[in-house]
């Protein structure tokens, strides 16, 4: 029986991946320590429907101390999504959490996966490895934040373990949005600042910064394709981006139109380590994975809005 092992299963992306793999009939083991970086209550809610599924089991453990090889079996596919995301919190003393939960945890996952002869590890890297250097002409890795450095180190670890025989594929996710988006992320904050309440959106910089926003279902689709035995192992990380970039100002306008009210904004200086633009090259993902993002930003935002309303229990 094919098994999927998902680290970070209770998180934003991990919980969607868990649901999709269960819906496909797979047996899923989720591993998460319910890190209190943001409230574990949200993470419990993220897993509420999966926990009712008999094919799902949850291991509530910290990858930094847990012996993952005690769970892994030969032939498993490991989706390693656990980590400490977030550029801003990786500065200063926050870097130790990035080092521990990204670099150290990933090295432990790769080591256990190699020992257990799993079929493949697919892991979550980030567009942050590029910093500002990803343009349509250049794809140089050049992080400009400590978080980006930690993800670039994970990619190098993947290379090291690949040389030792581990089948491992890196996915560089570009700004993911959609239902259950982490509370620190822009779309979630924008909706909160447009919906009734006191929350004010801290607009860092001019709003001209452009991102390839990628809907979470598209991210999950790409990640599952990378876990398929039909896809050959590939050393080059995949860019997984939404296909069209939009500025933060454009997103603000769209959110205001969807909600039907203005966003409460507090203008602040530009954030450290925030690239002006991110550009994905999705050609390799199209050719090798047969994947292309299919969700328009407008549709994804409307979907995100509905889920925010549900979460805030504003719907009837
Ligand atoms: N959301 C994005 O836009 C985005 C973009 C690029 C890359 N990524 C990467 O994708 C992955 C998932 O991101 P997300 O937005 O779903 O984040 P998330 O914080 O919602 O999910 C991460 C999960 O990992 C768990 N975790 C953290 N450290 C752990 C540890 N030591 N042991 C066990 N569990 C641990 C957390 O409790 C959390 O539930 C992360 O690796 C992140 O860096 C996310």
């Amino acid at each position: 029986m094919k098994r999927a092992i998902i680290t970070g299963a209770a998180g934003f992306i991990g919980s969607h991946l868990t649901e999709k793999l269960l819906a496909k009939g797979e047996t899923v083991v989720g591993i998460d320590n319910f890190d209190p970086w943001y409230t574990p209550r949200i993470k419990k809610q993220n897993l509420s429907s999966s926990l009712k599924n008999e094919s799902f089991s949850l291991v509530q453990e910290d990858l930094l101390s847990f012996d993952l090889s005690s769970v892994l079996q030969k032939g498993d596919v490991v989706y390693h999504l656990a980590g400490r995301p977030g550029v801003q919190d990786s500065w200063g003393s926050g870097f130790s959490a990035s080092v521990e939960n990204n670099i150290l945890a990933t090295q432990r996952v790769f080591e256990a996966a190699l020992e257990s002869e799993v079929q493949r590890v697919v892991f979550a890297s980030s567009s942050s490895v590029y910093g500002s250097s990803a343009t349509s002409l250049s794809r140089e890795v050049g992080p400009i934040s400590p978080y980006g450095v930690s993800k670039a180190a994970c990619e190098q670890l993947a290379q090291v373990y690949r040389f030792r025989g581990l089948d491992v594929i890196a996915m560089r996710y570009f700004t993911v949005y959609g239902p259950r988006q982490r509370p620190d992320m822009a779309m979630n904050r924008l909706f909160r600042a447009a919906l009734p309440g006191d929350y004010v959106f801290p607009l860092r910089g001019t709003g001209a910064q452009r991102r390839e926003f990628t809907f979470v279902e598209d991210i999950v689709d790409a990640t599952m394709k990378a876990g398929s035995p039909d896809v050959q192992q590939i050393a080059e990380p995949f860019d997984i981006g939404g296909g069209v970039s939009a500025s933060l100002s454009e997103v603000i306008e769209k959110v205001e139109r969807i909600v039907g009210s203005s966003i409460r904004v507090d203008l602040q200086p530009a954030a450290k380590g925030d690239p002006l633009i991110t550009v994905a090259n999705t050609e390799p993902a199209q050719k090798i994975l047969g994947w292309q993002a299919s969700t328009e930003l407008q549709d994804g935002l409307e979907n995100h809005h509905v889920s925010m309303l549900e979460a805030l229990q504003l719907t009837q």
Side-chain angles (χ1 to χ4, degrees):
M1 165 88 68
K2 192 172 175 208
R3 294 197 327 162
I5 314 298
I6 305 180
T7 74
F12 163 39
I13 304 171
S15 62
H16 284 280
L17 179 63
T18 301
E19 278 174 16
K20 269 280 152 62
L21 285 166
L22 287 170
K24 245 185 89 191
E26 294 202 19
T27 298
V28 178
V29 179
I31 298 163
D32 205 296
N33 67 346
F34 293 82
D35 180 341
W37 179 59
Y38 70 89
T39 172
R41 188 175 43 78
I42 296 179
K43 298 179 184 184
K44 294 216 165 80
Q45 182 58 32
N46 288 347
L47 277 184
S48 56
S49 86
S50 296
L51 282 166
K52 292 181 197 135
N53 191 317
E54 282 181 358
S55 302
F56 179 67
S57 53
L58 175 66
V59 178
Q60 190 167 338
E61 292 284 358
D62 190 328
L63 289 170
L64 292 168
S65 50
F66 178 61
D67 177 10
L68 186 61
S69 58
S70 66
V71 168
L72 298 182
Q73 290 173 9
K74 189 173 175 176
D76 284 344
V77 176
V78 179
Y79 297 92
H80 173 45
L81 272 65
R84 170 59 58 89
V87 166
Q88 292 317 313
D89 281 9
S90 70
W91 294 99
S93 60
F95 189 50
S96 55
S98 311
V99 169
E100 286 169 10
N101 297 292
N102 298 340
I103 305 176
L104 284 180
T106 298
Q107 187 268 343
R108 288 175 60 86
V109 168
F110 290 165
E111 194 74 38
L114 186 65
E115 187 187 318
S116 310
E117 298 179 51
V118 305
Q119 185 182 309
R120 171 165 298 161
V121 180
V122 179
F123 86 96
S125 185
S126 167
S127 60
S128 295
V129 299
Y130 289 124
S132 294
S133 60
T135 64
S136 46
L137 296 174
S138 146
R139 313 303 303 163
E140 293 288 309
V141 168
I144 57 170
S145 68
Y147 167 70
V149 168
S150 74
K151 285 293 182 180
C154 292
E155 289 188 1
Q156 292 199 321
L157 278 168
Q159 188 67 357
V160 167
Y161 279 86
R162 208 174 279 121
F163 284 140
R164 285 196 51 209
L166 184 68
D167 182 330
V168 49
I169 293 183
M171 310 292 275
R172 291 176 178 159
Y173 297 155
F174 280 65
T175 318
V176 191
Y177 73 102
R180 305 182 197 150
Q181 194 194 42
R182 298 191 326 260
D184 62 296
M185 295 189 73
M187 304 290 202
N188 185 315
R189 289 169 181 248
L190 286 171
F191 278 111
R192 270 189 283 151
L195 290 164
D198 305 327
Y199 182 73
V200 178
F201 181 78
L203 176 56
R204 302 194 178 98
T206 60
Q209 56 270 50
R210 299 189 77 80
R211 293 284 174 277
E212 276 215 29
F213 294 102
T214 317
F215 192 60
V216 65
E217 281 181 19
D218 287 325
I219 288 283
V220 165
D221 185 29
T223 306
M224 283 168 60
K225 285 194 152 84
S228 159
D230 303 337
V231 168
Q232 296 277 311
Q233 181 186 199
I234 176 156
E236 212 42 49
F238 287 108
D239 280 4
I240 305 297
V244 185
S245 82
S247 72
L248 192 53
S249 301
E250 286 162 2
V251 173
I252 286 174
E253 273 178 40
K254 282 183 187 293
V255 170
E256 288 184 332
R257 253 184 271 125
I258 290 169
V259 178
S261 61
S262 301
I263 290 174
R264 298 174 292 277
V265 168
D266 177 28
L267 296 178
Q268 295 189 3
K272 293 177 286 184
D274 204 11
L276 259 183
I277 183 163
T278 59
V279 181
N281 171 17
T282 53
E283 245 180 69
Q286 283 174 36
K287 271 197 200 137
I288 298 165
L289 301 178
W291 175 87
Q292 193 171 9
S294 62
T295 312
E296 297 290 334
L297 183 57
Q298 180 68 28
D299 296 339
L301 283 175
E302 284 171 10
N303 196 320
H304 195 140
H305 177 224
V306 170
S307 74
M308 292 290 293
L309 291 175
E310 283 167 2
L312 294 168
Q313 296 185 329
L314 290 176
T315 45
Q316 294 178 356

